[in-house]
Amino acid sequence: MPALSVVMPVYNGGRYLDLAIESILAQSAGDFEFIIMEDGSTDNSRSIVEGYASRDPRIRLVADGTNRGITARLNQGIALASASLIARMDADDISLPHRFAAQLKALRENPALVLIGSRVTVIDPDGDELTEMGALSHEEIDSALMNRTGQPVYHPSVIFRKDAALRVGGYDESYLAAQDHDFFLKLLEQGRVENLAEPLLKYREHFSKLGVTRIAEQERAITGAILAAHRRRGTTPASSETTGVKRRPVSRAETHRKWGWWALQSGRLKSARKHALRAMRRDPLNRESARLVWCALRGR
């Protein structure tokens, strides 16, 4: 039995899939099974996974030709996992080589932990670094999830205990989006949930992410997850938690501006200048684009 089961659903992930798979196979803690669930992709994802599976026996490809969605595939991964610990991974991200070793050490040293993640380095579609994100303590994570203040835990960065996941019924398949928000809130009620301070995952932002393409659906799901948590805990939600959609669809120029400001504020000037110029090209009359270009070129 392996020490760890790694679960990664894939749907049309061919663009970044090689990097994701190779980052898992290169882990310094190599005693794991790698369950990759190919969710009926229409690109070359399946053939990419088959190629790696033919060379590395740790890879277990699950491919039935159907598109069941990420939530159902995550539950399938939990059911198939041989190990008592389950690591998540996504097909567009990159795990650093010592990620598993650091997280397994934390889980061994603290039996109260039911989930351990890490801060992440956010990268853009080209792989250039933008900023670092993620909360640290159980209390900070719970507060951020309940109050919708940022993204305190990044799903592909976590390892969780299988028995805790089963106690909460796995992922709620009524959530087609934000299933991780609901899952994390339930695990917070089972034991300690924390992030390691060192970024152990490169989390990729790009224009095909659900948080970009299906914002309204995601926000409705987050509202539902928060209200469900209040019901379980016997607490009363604030009015701000029940108002539904908090964000609106944004243009590519706005997204480049956001990435540019992130990079500038974290001192990554090359990335800041790149996204400032891209925002300016897409929206040349926008004053915020011009201000970002000016600040990025000045270096502050």
Side-chain angles (χ1 to χ4, degrees), residues 18-39:
D18 288 279
L19 292 172
I21 292 174
E22 289 170 8
S23 77
I24 296 299
L25 299 182
Q27 290 295 303
S28 60
D31 182 16
F32 58 79
E33 62 175 351
F34 191 5
I35 304 169
I36 303 178
M37 292 158 292
E38 205 293 298
D39 194 33

Side-chain angles (χ1 to χ4, degrees), residues 6 15 26 37 41 43 55 62 82 85-86 88 99 102 138 140 153 167 178 189 196 205 210 231 235 247 251 280 284:
V6 185
R15 180 178 179 186
M37 292 158 292
S41 297
D43 67 356
R55 301 190 295 273
V62 178
S82 301
L85 297 172
I86 298 176
R88 277 283 289 112
R99 173 194 161 190
H138 177 100
E140 290 172 317
V153 185
R167 285 198 301 272
E189 299 159 13
L196 297 176
E205 290 278 356
L210 186 147
R231 288 192 294 271
T235 53
R247 296 177 294 163
S251 67
M280 179 62 80

Side-chain angles (χ1 to χ4, degrees), residues 249-298:
V250 298
S251 67
R252 291 208 171 196
E254 288 175 282
T255 301
H256 283 300
R257 283 195 293 271
K258 177 181 72 173
W259 293 345
W261 285 120
W262 283 355
L264 183 61
Q265 291 161 5
S266 68
R268 293 167 167 89
L269 293 182
K270 178 182 176 182
S271 296
R273 290 164 181 162
K274 177 179 73 174
H275 289 292
L277 293 173
R278 289 182 181 179
M280 179 62 80
R281 283 197 295 268
R282 287 186 172 273
D283 196 0
L285 300 181
N286 185 281
R287 294 178 63 182
E288 188 70 8
S289 294
R291 189 167 78 90
L292 176 58
V293 169
W294 172 247
C295 292
L297 292 176
R298 293 178 65 209

